[in-house]
Amino acid sequence: MKPTACIDRGNMVPGVPIALLAAAVAASLALTARPGHAHAPVSAPAKTEVSAGLSLTWRSQGVVDDGLPWRIPGALMGGHALPAQEGLELDDAFLGIRHPLSDRLHVGAKIAAHGHGGDSGDVDIELEHAFVGFSHELAHQPVLFEAGRMSPRFSPAVAEHPSTRLFSEAPLAMDVFLGRHYHDEGILLMRSDPDGLSAGVELWRGSNFPATSGSGGGAWDLFATYRWSGHRQQADVGLWHLHADARLRPDARYQEGHSHGLPDEEMPPDIRFTGDTRLTGLHGSVRHFVRPDLAIGISGEFLDSRSDGALSDALRRANYTGDYRGGWIQPELHWGRHTLGLRYERLELKNELHGAAAPGLAKDANLLNDDDPERLGIAWRYRFDHGLAVRVEWTRDQSLPERSNRLGIGLVWQQTRPLRGL
């Protein structure tokens, strides 16, 4: 029999913390079943709309030291999941526009810049959106078709920016499961109704983690979302499934010519994944207004991921199965210009490799883990006029063997406005 390497989730009771996270998300969703009225998502802009945002943060400590790669033990990572750095860092800046060409036809575009901090001072500028859309009524129900480079609709978190969310850092589950940002070339077909229920399907080229493009690659997803509001409540709930195929997928964060300032001696081994990944997610949020200037809310998302295939390098190959679960729960208090929130996150990671090369590949791919990653954050934001805000956040990070605490202080600006004259 060939040797087998099984990488365990850790010494905690498996599934219990994640089950509690899932239960907390489900409990918040149950609050949506209240008398009120629903709102379907806006399918197309009624007038030209411009959005822009900027986030700058100073941190007392980075996720890892400068010149070291960010690799969470037990996780195959990739995409745009780069670590927050010590000192002042441009989290991101973006500028987007949506313009109606007619009552039914519209176009959109967005560019964004992401900084990497540290000594390199690198900034990546990326075209995130460039698409055309067509809206129509079919059987008295609004139907939306969009094609081009877009962000998916299945989860709000995949298209968030540090300037649009409460915390400057993305949730761990987004970093590990989806490579943080998700922008790809594809098509969307979505139906929505006046009762607040929308559902759709998206087909993707596969240029975003965890898929690859070209032969043997690609991705597709299905999603359904329900939005509701009452006299003092607002809520939404969504369920989605993503299927991604990959062929020889590397960790694109640390490849030759795209190392983000990492010295050659710290470059991780080039271990590649071939196979398919299936993800299922449940997200939701609810907010209750005690009075016009005081509200409490809770949001969260639970994700389940399974990967089947093989890990390989130039000389070795082993069959691979990865079972990942994770999510976060985030209660918030909104009082006038103040917002105070807490975010608890947890991942459970299980990997199995089979074959003669399994032990060596498991070590080089950093799949040997003893503990499940956890992170706790507290953030306070004070909003000034004209979209400007100050943010202070504290993070207790237990996602790496060396646990750490860091303080972040930053400025945030974000606005969306109609553009006159077009």
Side-chain angles (χ1 to χ4, degrees):
M1 180 180 295
K2 293 182 179 180
T4 300
C6 294
I7 300 88
D8 206 328
R9 299 177 182 172
N11 52 15
M12 311 232 8
V13 179
V16 173
I18 294 299
L20 291 176
L21 276 177
V25 173
S28 70
L29 306 185
L31 297 176
T32 63
R34 302 276 302 276
H37 58 279
H39 291 287
V42 177
S43 59
K47 57 181 67 177
T48 303
E49 192 176 74
V50 175
S51 60
L54 172 70
S55 176
L56 286 166
T57 304
W58 172 89
R59 296 182 181 87
S60 61
Q61 186 176 346
V63 175
V64 294
D65 293 335
D66 286 348
L68 293 179
W70 184 34
R71 304 173 75 201
I72 296 176
L76 284 178
M77 299 179 66
H80 303 272
L82 292 167
Q85 300 282 351
E86 180 181 352
L88 185 63
E89 180 176 31
L90 171 68
D91 301 315
D92 88 328
F94 72 90
L95 175 65
I97 185 170
R98 286 165 59 88
H99 174 65
L101 299 174
S102 67
D103 292 341
R104 296 183 177 181
L105 192 65
H106 63 277
V107 294
K110 183 167 73 171
I111 58 173
H114 307 278
H116 308 139
D119 296 332
S120 66
D122 291 343
V123 175
D124 278 348
I125 299 177
E126 179 184 12
L127 178 66
E128 294 189 347
H129 295 169
F131 63 88
V132 60
F134 178 77
S135 57
H136 187 65
E137 279 200 1
L138 184 64
H140 305 290
Q141 302 294 333
V143 175
L144 174 67
F145 173 82
E146 290 182 340
R149 183 166 178 82
M150 308 176 291
S151 297
R153 300 287 187 107
F154 60 77
S155 170
V158 298
E160 285 182 335
H161 290 267
S163 56
T164 60
R165 60 175 174 254
L166 180 58
F167 290 84
S168 64
E169 297 181 44
L172 277 176
M174 290 292 109
D175 282 340
V176 172
F177 293 14
L178 293 166
R180 187 173 299 172
H181 306 297
Y182 199 115
H183 315 293
D184 200 357
E185 295 80 34
I187 59 174
L188 158 75
L189 181 63
M190 184 176 74
R191 171 192 174 275
S192 57
D193 61 42
D195 294 327
L197 180 64
S198 61
V201 58
E202 296 171 304
L203 304 177
W204 302 105
R205 178 170 174 255
S207 56
N208 199 96
F209 183 89
T212 59
S213 59
S215 177
W220 58 266
D221 70 78
L222 300 169
F223 65 91
T225 305
Y226 179 72
R227 289 179 171 87
W228 171 93
S229 66
H231 177 60
R232 291 190 173 185
Q233 294 84 26
Q234 295 175 349
D236 67 80
V237 55
L239 181 66
W240 56 271
H241 178 80
L242 171 69
H243 184 104
D245 293 308
R247 179 179 174 83
L248 296 176
R249 184 192 74 205
D251 184 347
R253 303 171 303 162
Y254 305 118
Q255 292 292 303
E256 186 176 351
H258 198 68
S259 62
H260 299 292
L262 206 66
D264 292 342
E265 61 270 18
E266 296 294 344
M267 291 284 284
D270 186 11
I271 309 297
R272 305 201 172 201
F273 170 75
T274 299
D276 63 87
T277 301
R278 301 174 300 282
L279 296 100
T280 301
L282 172 69
H283 65 83
S285 67
V286 62
R287 182 179 294 188
H288 174 73
F289 290 87
V290 180
R291 57 177 193 250
D293 67 337
L294 180 62
I296 55 174
I298 189 169
S299 63
E301 186 156 5
F302 168 75
L303 298 90
D304 183 271
S305 173
R306 180 178 175 90
S307 298
D308 290 295
L311 294 183
S312 62
D313 61 11
L315 300 174
R316 301 171 295 175
R317 184 183 184 280
N319 293 330
Y320 169 76
T321 299
D323 282 306
Y324 297 174
R325 296 182 184 89
W328 69 93
I329 195 76
Q330 183 173 316
E332 296 180 1
L333 172 67
H334 306 265
W335 180 31
R337 295 173 178 262
H338 301 268
T339 301
L340 179 66
L342 181 146
R343 185 174 69 182
Y344 173 72
E345 311 171 66
R346 186 178 176 88
L347 306 180
E348 290 183 356
L349 310 172
K350 181 180 180 181
N351 302 278
E352 293 186 2
L353 285 87
H354 300 270
L361 283 172
K363 181 177 182 297
D364 289 346
N366 199 40
L367 296 180
L368 303 172
N369 61 315
D370 296 321
D371 298 303
D372 292 320
E374 272 187 324
R375 198 164 67 180
L376 178 67
I378 300 173
W380 168 76
R381 184 179 62 198
Y382 181 81
R383 177 174 50 86
F384 300 101
D385 294 327
H386 309 296
L388 184 66
V390 61
R391 173 169 53 201
V392 179
E393 54 191 337
W394 171 84
T395 303
R396 185 185 71 185
D397 195 340
Q398 299 181 134
S399 63
L400 298 173
E402 294 185 4
R403 302 179 180 184
S404 62
N405 297 284
R406 56 184 173 271
L407 174 68
I409 303 173
L411 288 175
V412 179
W413 176 75
Q414 196 273 325
Q415 279 193 326
T416 299
R417 288 190 173 184
L419 187 64
R420 299 175 182 177
L422 289 179

